[in-house]
Structure formats: structure tokens, C-alpha cells
DNA sequence: GTTTTATACTGGTAATGACCACATCACCAC
DNA sequence: GTGGTGATGTGGTCATTACCAGTATAAAAC
């Protein structure tokens, strides 16, 4: 049994969270009941304050749910593409057993115009990569992405790199950058003619326009504008009740 | 100054939250500093435990943010839905300082057909409420929702109940049910004529169709089909990199 | 002047002890 | 059988106390 190190500089409730997550992921099933709070106090020599704080965070993170008077239980695992975690087209398609292909339609270095500069929190005129990729899964067009990446942060990216590997893999392996967070904003839009053609859908089908801002710390390392075909792509998200 | 009623059956931290929200919305600006936790303790005669619990909930709900060593501040108002937490139209609109109204267009108890039964993991023929609500914020139509709720779990719901309070408030106060989790699936769709009329938008503007499954433990307590007008609603989500 | 130190704020972590509210079940009275 | 009733286990709320960890500032030392 893992133990709590009371002399560690890591807060006790964090340590307990890690122990419990490990327990949940490796030894428990959905809807299994956790030991009661008081049992956990006993077992690890912690106060109920600390135990409740740990469990409260786990609840917030979607690992468990509580029922007053009954107990605390392992939350059902998330299904499908879940927006609550970081998303990579390449990774996700592999997970679904499909063959992901990136077709780089254009690739250039441009000077950021006013809009791009504002979106990326940079100065107008800063050099940025701009590349358009058509993403296919098993040869079916799924997404049309226009991506902007600061040139000064990641010099030497070539078109071929993007065709062979995912952007995130490249940032990690070539530049040692592992994005910490991303924000996506999406809204339904009428599909434009040129987009419809590339995605091989009729214009009558609306698309989902997704703006993505990817951060490493507080620096934006990627700004992407995606058109996702509305007939094939569905977004799924799990919301947790924070009370 | 509003006071805390220590004899109320409403938890003190909830009462404090309401007071603080009121304060924030009516007398404070973005990034204004709140009184320190200890000051609030003093002012309302509460323990720091309670004050911290209230503030912690406000932080989760996006009202405030904290800075260690400095203070607690009013969070910037976001205009967007944040999918990372549980969402209630009523609550969200209040948070944005808008007046939410639910216009119940129809209300009946029906027998679940095959589709509804499958979606709700119930048997065909089970009686369920079906109600259609047009949700408005400051008199502007925002959403058109068709909701299904099992009748046997929540007997005695009336049309008027839905007009006066949020569904989640009702489930909680009348039936003691506090949903633990919700799952949403959304896709862009062409706005139907009747929907366009109710939402007061032209059919050319695509809408977002959102299916929502709300769970209490492993029981589905609500299945809702929403049409959100694509010109006004934008969904925003934060993705964290868990690696 | 600059740098260091003290100190007095802020929120963060933690233990302890008490009592409340809800769920379950065994038991008893009817 | 049905309906209470009480015991017991669960999570929920709350006060009190203590100390830790960042932040800012002003006093002291250089």
C-alpha cells in the first residue's frame, strides 16, 4: 500500500488524490463504492478535512460522485471523443482504428496581419507559418484546418514534417514543447463553396467552425481555424456537476 | 447589509455565496478585489472554513479568481458558455446579468417511443414528461429545448413549476436529486422553418443541435434536445493536457 | 543610493471536534 | 403485511486553532 509522506512538500490532499486515482484506475470498476471518508482517514492517518478536500477535488475532476447518506462511487468512464481532455486529430483517429492522413494544401511563412496578431497576442508583422491541411481518416475528408504558428519560436519547420507526423508530436520531439492547455471556440456556420468542395460535401450541409488556441504556459504556440464537416463530426463532452 | 441567518436550514456558505454574488454583480467591476477571507469572517460572523467553502464554490462557478498572497478578485465576465462545468441556462444567464425566461410551449405526459426509450435507457411505453421550452435572455430567444423526464421518478411536475424555476433547481428542492454528470453531443444542423420562426432567425443561419443526457448516478434523469441559434451562441471549452 | 530584513498582509494546508441530514435495515407494534 | 422507530453508517456543515507560503512594503543595513 502506498503511504502518505507527511514531511513531503507536496500537500497531503494531493498525495491522497494520487493514491486514490491510482486505486480507481487500476483496481476498481465504474460505480464501485469507495471506502467511507472516515475509513480513509483511519487508513492513511489523515484528518477528515484533508480527506474531504481530496475527494472533493476528485469529484470536480470527474473521477467520483457522491451520494449523501450512501457513499462515494467511481464515476462512469468517459465515452468517445471527450473535449475535457486535450485533443489531437492524429491520435484520436488512431484510437478509433482509422488511418489519419494530412494533406498539406499550402505552406508558407507570412507576416501576421492585424487579426492574426491579435488572436495570437503578438505584434503585427511578426513572421508566422501559415499552413492549410486537409485531414482525412480512411481517405474520407474530415477537417479543413488553417494553422498559424509563430516562426521565431519554432524555426525550420518544413512542409514534409507536417505530412509525416502530428503537429504536437513535432513540437514535442523537435522543440521540447508540450502544450499545457488549449481553448476551443466553436460555432455552426454555412459551408463555403471552396470548403464544401474540399470536404466533398454539398454546401447545404452546415459545418462546425472551430477556433483553437494552444498554449504553452501563457504563450500561444498555435492558432488554428478548423472547418469540420457537420455530417460526420460530432462533438461529445462530459460535464461534471460542481457543487 | 444583508445578514446571515444562522437558524435557516439553508447552509451558511450558500447564504454567503448569494450575498457575495449579489455584491459582485451589483457593486463591483471586473478584477476588483474582494475583502480578504478574514475580513469576511469578521463581517458576517463566520468561520474561515465556511468563508473559504463559499469562495471556493464561487471560484468553480467562475465568479472570482484567487491569487496566493495577494487576494481574491472578481473574474472577467465571459460571454461564452464554458463546457467544462455543469451548465444551467438559468444560472448562466443570471451570471451574465441577463434575465432568463422560460416559455413553456407544450407540456404533456407521453409514453416513451422506441427512440426515447433507447436514449433514456428505459422501456418502450414508460410514461415520460415531454415539454418544449423556448428559453429567452433579456427577451431574446436563445434556445429551443425539448426535454424528456421519467414520470415515475418525478411525479407531480406541473407546467407552472417550469416557468418559475430551473429544472435543476426543481429536481433538487422538490425531489432531492442533484445530477452528478451530464453528457452533451452536438452538431451543426440546418435550421428548420418552425425552429427559425420561434428563434426569430432566418433559416439560412445554421443552428447547433445539442443532445444532453443528465445523470444522477447511473440513472438518466433528463434527456434534452436543444436547438441553439448559431449566430448568438458560441461554445467555448478549455482543454487540459493530461500528460 | 541600493540591498537586505522585518513584518504584516494575503490565501493554502491541516487537525480536531461537534453536530446535522440522509439511507438502510432490523425490530416491534399494529 | 404495514407502518413506525431507533440504531448505525454515510456524506454535509461548521467553528476553532495553528501554521505554511506567497506578496508587498517599509524600515534597517550597507
Amino acid at each position: 500500500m502506498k503511504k502518505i509522506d507527511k514531511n513531503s512538500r507536496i500537500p497531503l490532499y494531493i498525495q491522497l488524490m494520487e493514491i486514490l486515482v491510482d486505486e480507481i484506475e487500476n483496481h476498481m470498476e465504474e460505480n464501485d463504492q469507495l471506502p467511507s471518508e472516515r475509513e480513509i482517514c483511519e487508513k492513511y492517518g489523515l484528518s477528515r478535512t484533508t480527506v474531504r478536500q481530496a475527494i472533493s477535488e476528485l469529484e470536480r475532476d470527474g473521477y467520483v460522485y457522491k451520494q449523501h447518506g450512501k457513499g462515494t462511487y467511481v464515476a462512469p468512464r468517459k465515452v468517445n471523443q471527450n473535449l475535457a481532455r486535450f485533443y489531437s486529430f492524429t491520435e484520436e483517429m488512431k484510437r478509433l482504428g482509422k488511418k489519419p492522413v494530412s494533406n498539406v494544401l499550402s505552406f508558407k511563412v507570412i507576416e501576421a496581419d492585424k487579426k492574426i496578431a491579435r488572436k495570437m497576442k503578438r505584434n503585427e508583422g511578426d513572421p508566422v507559418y501559415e499552413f492549410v491541411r486537409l485531414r482525412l481518416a480512411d481517405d474520407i475528408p474530415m477537417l479543413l484546418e488553417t494553422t498559424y504558428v509563430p516562426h521565431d519560436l519554432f524555426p525550420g519547420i518544413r512542409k514534409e514534417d507536417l505530412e509525416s507526423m502530428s503537429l504536437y508530436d513535432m513540437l514535442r520531439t523537435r522543440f521540447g514543447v508540450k502544450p499545457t492547455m488549449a481553448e476551443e471556440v466553436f460555432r455552426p456556420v454555412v459551408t463555403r463553396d471552396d470548403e464544401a468542395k474540399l470536404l466533398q460535401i454539398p454546401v447545404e450541409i452546415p459545418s462546425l467552425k472551430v477556433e483553437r488556441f494552444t498554449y504553452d504556459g501563457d504563450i500561444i504556440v498555435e492558432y488554428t481555424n478548423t472547418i469540420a464537416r457537420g455530417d460526420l463530426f460530432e462533438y461529445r463532452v462530459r460535464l461534471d456537476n460542481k457543487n
Side-chain angles (χ1 to χ4, degrees), chain A:
Chain A
M1 178 186 110
K2 290 235 180 68
K3 291 285 289 287
I4 300 278
D5 175 9
K6 295 224 177 192
N7 295 321
S8 166
R9 62 278 168 237
I10 299 170
L12 305 185
Y13 78 96
I14 301 272
Q15 293 185 50
L16 179 57
M17 278 176 71
E18 286 168 359
I19 291 175
L20 292 176
V21 165
D22 184 78
E23 195 67 23
I24 287 167
E25 295 195 328
N26 296 316
H27 305 292
M28 300 185 76
E29 298 293 325
E30 295 181 7
N31 302 311
D32 277 2
Q33 184 168 7
L34 273 73
S36 76
E37 296 176 355
R38 288 165 179 88
E39 280 179 63
I40 296 176
C41 296
E42 180 75 16
K43 189 169 175 184
Y44 296 99
L46 296 169
S47 74
R48 197 152 159 242
T49 314
T50 306
V51 171
R52 276 183 66 78
Q53 186 171 6
I55 292 179
S56 166
E57 298 280 327
L58 290 182
E59 186 187 22
R60 192 168 151 273
D61 289 349
Y63 283 102
V64 303
Y65 61 93
K66 297 192 272 196
Q67 287 192 39
H68 192 176
K70 297 184 69 176
T72 303
Y73 304 86
V74 175
R77 318 283 198 233
K78 313 170 183 183
V79 224
N80 284 0
Q81 173 182 329
N82 188 334
L83 288 185
R85 47 173 284 279
F86 210 78
Y87 173 76
S88 157
F89 178 79
T90 309
E91 294 308 316
E92 193 66 14
M93 289 306 127
K94 281 184 187 164
R95 200 176 71 80
L96 293 173
K98 297 182 185 302
K99 184 168 60 74
V101 171
S102 283
N103 201 337
V104 182
L105 305 183
S106 89
F107 180 93
K108 48 190 167 183
V109 178
I110 62 169
E111 293 187 349
D113 62 18
K114 194 169 292 181
K115 181 191 159 200
I116 302 296
R118 183 170 48 81
K119 296 273 189 189
M120 302 183 75
K121 294 177 187 166
R122 297 209 135 236
N123 298 321
E124 211 175 326
D126 282 3
V128 294
Y129 297 100
E130 179 199 71
F131 44 88
V132 180
R133 290 181 293 176
L134 183 66
R135 321 287 304 254
L136 307 93
D138 285 352
D139 301 324
I140 300 169
M142 302 285 286
L143 308 173
L144 182 62
E145 297 184 336
T146 307
T147 301
Y148 300 90
V149 174
H151 181 273
D152 55 354
L153 296 178
F154 311 105
I157 299 180
R158 294 165 310 148
K159 187 182 175 190
E160 304 83 62
D161 300 333
L162 295 169
E163 275 160 347
S164 60
M165 68 201 302
S166 97
L167 177 63
Y168 302 125
D169 273 349
M170 191 180 58
L171 294 186
R172 199 187 61 237
T173 58
R174 287 261 296 273
F175 301 97
V177 167
K178 208 164 58 176
T180 49
M181 195 262 289
E183 191 177 48
E184 293 193 344
V185 182
F186 42 104
R187 48 180 84 86
V189 294
V190 175
T191 311
R192 289 208 319 250
D193 284 350
D194 54 333
E195 295 163 349
K197 198 167 179 182
L198 287 166
L199 291 170
Q200 298 174 21
I201 53 171
V203 279
E204 299 84 61
I205 297 179
S207 305
L208 209 54
K209 180 170 182 172
V210 185
E211 278 189 302
R212 163 189 282 242
F213 304 87
T214 307
Y215 290 81
D216 181 37
D218 51 358
I219 296 169
I220 295 182
V221 296
E222 178 210 6
Y223 165 59
T224 291
N225 236 313
T226 300
I227 300 293
R229 48 189 290 181
D231 57 341
L232 280 190
F233 242 83
E234 82 180 16
Y235 277 71
R236 192 176 287 264
V237 64
R238 208 188 105 138
L239 314 169
D240 295 303
N241 201 354
K242 327 247 164 117
N243 277 319

